[in-house]
């Protein structure tokens, strides 16, 4: 089962976040700018579940220090931009090679009336062609600069980038849920990651972080590094005490806890995982549940525990003591965060300057400029005008 509100609002709260949330991700805008983003705060995602057993009261404790002033929504905006970038493939497949003799080929018909390839292409261009083409230009520009800098991207780089994003969003499930809101999958996301990695590798050598900056950051955010005591537990939830007692008897007779959870637990959020709830803090649970869970030793199983949602049988599988991290313990993570902040600041300027130096033609925007900009009179024409007066 997942962490829930007591009031019946079935909202999932993040598991205790970790220092990995210091990591950042890069953002490719739909236009010409490229920004490297870091989460401003842990992303508080939500998802539905069936049994509201967890309690969010007092759950404001974060283990992630504030990062640069960029909203987590920026990550989702980048994901949407990735979808637009993927749409470019559709346009490419439709248009080039787009022959004159098949521009009237029907891609659909409505009561005998054709919708042609040309009409579809025009609508795609109208809907997002300029931003998509600009994103492709940006990608090509970064690719060329990466080759000059001898920057390469490995599978390990992509996997590390994905882990960073998962940590930033609070876990794999939360990232997957966020992606689904933009009609994306993890595989879709991974296809866009090489561009992020290249940009980061190009710019990181230009960034320096001093020990004093790391110390100042730690002192300003010291409280956010602290971690509360946590336990990892599994449970089986049933409606009546009689059901719970019957299950306890089966467990004493040697039955497997996980198998019984899959078979008998009414918590659909955890039963498929053998009742496993993952790690949670004391305040994440309703008091009746957490009071028992935090008293059990690792490996111990409780008697029937009554809450507003029924009767629980709880088994603790792991435990983490509360911890206050020192500067030395967090130094590497803080440095990574500060580097990402500086790369984020540097990226827009770098791309603007790189774009200005490049020879770029864009038929979609250039045509508009030609249509709206009247030509300046030449020097000879001005001279002729003056001489005629």
């Amino acid at each position: 089962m997942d962490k829930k509100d007591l009031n019946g609002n079935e909202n999932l709260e993040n598991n205790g976040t970790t220092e990995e949330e210091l990591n950042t991700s890069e953002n490719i805008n739909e236009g010409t700018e490229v920004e490297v983003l870091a989460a401003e705060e842990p992303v508080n995602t939500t998802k539905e579940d069936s049994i509201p057993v967890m309690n969010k009261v007092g759950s404001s404790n974060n283990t992630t220090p504030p990062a640069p002033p960029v909203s987590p929504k920026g990550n989702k905006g980048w994901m949407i931009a990735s979808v637009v970038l993927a749409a470019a493939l559709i346009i490419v497949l439709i248009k080039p090679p787009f022959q004159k003799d098949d521009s009237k080929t029907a891609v659909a018909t409505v009561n005998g009336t054709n919708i042609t390839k040309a009409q579809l292409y025009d609508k795609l261009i109208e809907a997002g062609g300029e931003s998509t083409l600009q994103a492709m230009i940006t990608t090509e520009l970064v690719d060329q600069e990466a080759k000059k800098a001898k920057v390469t991207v490995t599978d390990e780089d992509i996997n590390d980038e994905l882990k960073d994003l998962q940590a930033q969003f609070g876990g794999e499930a939360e990232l997957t849920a966020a992606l689904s809101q933009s009609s994306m999958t993890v595989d879709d996301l991974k296809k866009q990651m090489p561009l992020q990695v290249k940009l980061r590798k190009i710019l990181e050598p230009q960034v320096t972080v001093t020990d004093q900056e790391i110390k100042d950051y730690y002192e300003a955010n010291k409280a956010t590094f602290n971690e509360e005591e946590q336990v990892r537990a599994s449970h089986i939830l049933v409606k009546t005490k009689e059901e719970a007692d019957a299950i306890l008897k089966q467990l004493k007779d040697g039955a497997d806890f996980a198998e019984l959870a899959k078979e008998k637990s009414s918590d659909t959020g955890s039963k498929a995982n053998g009742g496993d709830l993952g790690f949670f803090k004391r305040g994440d649970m309703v008091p009746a549940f957490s009071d028992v869970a935090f008293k059990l030793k690792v490996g111990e199983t409780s008697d029937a525990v009554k809450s507003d949602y029924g009767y629980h049988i709880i088994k603790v599988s792991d435990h983490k003591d509360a911890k206050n991290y020192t500067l030395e313990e967090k130094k590497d993570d803080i440095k990574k965060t500060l580097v990402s902040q500086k790369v984020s600041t540097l990226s827009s300027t770098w791309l603007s300057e790189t774009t200005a130096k490049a020879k770029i033609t864009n038929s979609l925007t250039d045509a508009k400029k030609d249509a709206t900009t009247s030509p300046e009179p030449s020097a000879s024409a001005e001279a002729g005008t003056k001489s005629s007066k």
Side-chain angles (χ1 to χ4, degrees):
M1 84 187 310
D2 295 314
K3 302 185 180 71
K4 305 294 180 183
D5 288 330
L6 281 172
N7 60 8
N9 178 22
E10 301 176 1
N11 289 332
L12 170 70
E13 169 162 59
N14 291 340
N15 273 346
T17 50
T18 68
E19 65 267 28
E20 292 177 357
E21 290 185 58
L22 290 164
N23 300 340
T24 58
S25 65
E26 289 80 17
N27 179 53
I28 305 304
N29 289 336
E30 294 178 17
T32 58
E33 291 190 32
V34 175
E35 295 186 35
V36 182
L37 299 185
E40 181 179 14
E41 58 186 0
V43 180
N44 185 20
T45 57
T46 63
K47 73 175 180 182
E48 295 183 356
D49 200 356
S50 59
I51 308 297
V53 173
M54 304 299 184
N55 175 17
K56 287 186 177 180
V57 176
S59 61
S60 62
N61 179 55
N62 295 327
T63 61
T64 304
V70 180
S71 168
K73 293 181 180 178
N75 287 319
K76 295 182 181 179
W78 162 68
M79 294 173 189
I80 295 171
S82 298
V83 173
V84 174
L85 184 58
L89 298 176
I90 300 174
I91 296 176
V92 169
L93 289 173
I94 294 170
K95 187 71 176 177
F98 198 101
Q99 306 299 330
K100 291 182 180 180
D101 58 1
D102 76 344
S103 62
K104 295 182 179 180
T105 299
V107 293
T109 61
V110 180
N111 294 325
T113 301
N114 290 341
I115 297 175
T116 67
K117 277 188 175 182
Q119 290 173 318
L120 176 58
Y121 171 74
D122 290 342
K123 285 296 182 183
L124 286 170
I125 291 296
E126 184 181 324
E130 287 187 23
S131 59
T132 300
L133 182 55
Q134 186 58 60
M136 296 176 73
I137 290 170
T138 297
T139 300
E140 178 59 31
L141 194 59
V142 173
D143 285 347
Q144 290 179 8
E145 293 302 313
K147 288 179 182 178
K148 291 179 185 177
K150 296 182 180 180
V151 165
T152 59
V153 178
T154 66
D155 290 342
E156 184 178 358
D157 290 328
I158 299 300
N159 290 333
D160 288 344
E161 201 78 16
L162 183 60
K163 288 178 182 177
D164 287 350
L165 264 181
Q166 288 173 347
Q168 191 179 56
F169 274 81
E172 182 178 355
E174 287 73 23
L175 174 60
T176 301
L179 287 169
S180 67
Q181 294 177 15
S182 299
S183 300
M184 287 185 70
T185 65
V186 172
D187 287 339
D188 294 330
L189 180 63
K190 289 175 74 172
K191 290 176 184 177
Q192 309 304 326
M193 283 182 172
L195 184 64
Q196 301 177 61
V197 176
K198 288 174 185 175
L199 184 61
R200 174 170 52 78
K201 286 187 173 184
I202 290 170
L203 296 179
E204 277 186 352
Q206 303 177 37
V207 169
T208 57
V209 173
T210 66
D211 287 342
Q212 186 61 47
E213 287 175 313
I214 294 173
K215 182 179 179 181
D216 291 344
Y217 188 96
Y218 175 80
E219 292 298 332
N221 301 282
K222 187 182 296 185
T224 66
F225 293 115
N226 299 339
E227 289 184 0
E228 294 181 38
E229 179 187 13
Q230 297 180 60
V231 297
R232 181 172 186 173
S234 301
H235 82 143
I236 301 171
L237 178 64
V238 292
K239 292 182 179 180
T240 67
K241 177 93 165 37
E242 289 73 22
E243 290 177 280
D245 288 340
I247 291 171
L248 283 168
K249 185 177 184 306
Q250 287 181 272
L251 290 171
K252 289 177 181 178
D253 290 340
D256 182 75
F257 190 100
E259 291 303 317
L260 284 180
K262 292 177 182 178
E263 178 185 348
K264 298 181 180 296
S265 181
S266 59
D267 176 17
T268 57
S270 67
K271 64 184 298 180
N273 298 321
D276 184 23
L277 300 170
F279 279 99
F280 52 85
K281 301 183 292 293
R282 186 180 295 272
D284 291 333
M285 298 288 198
V286 294
F289 192 99
S290 62
D291 287 348
V292 174
F294 278 80
K295 288 178 182 177
L296 292 172
K297 295 179 180 179
V298 173
E300 287 186 337
T301 301
S302 72
D303 292 327
V305 178
K306 188 179 185 303
S307 78
D308 291 340
Y309 311 104
Y311 289 83
H312 311 263
I313 300 168
I314 307 168
K315 182 177 181 179
V316 171
S317 56
D318 206 347
H319 176 270
K320 290 181 181 179
D321 289 327
K323 183 173 178 62
N324 295 335
Y325 285 92
T326 65
L327 170 60
E328 194 60 33
E329 289 173 315
K330 282 295 182 180
K331 186 173 183 178
D332 290 342
D333 290 328
I334 294 173
K335 183 177 181 180
K336 190 172 184 179
T337 295
L338 293 175
V339 167
S340 294
Q341 290 183 24
K342 292 189 177 187
V343 168
S344 177
T345 301
L346 180 63
S347 61
S348 293
T349 303
W350 176 87
L351 186 62
S352 295
E353 293 175 351
T354 304
T355 300
K357 295 175 184 176
K359 183 178 180 181
I360 298 172
T361 61
N362 184 329
S363 62
L364 296 183
T365 56
D366 292 347
K368 284 188 176 182
K369 290 178 183 178
D370 292 340
T372 57
T373 305
S374 57
E376 293 290 335
S378 65
S380 58
E382 286 187 9
T385 302
K386 290 178 181 179
S387 62
S388 64
K389 290 183 179 181

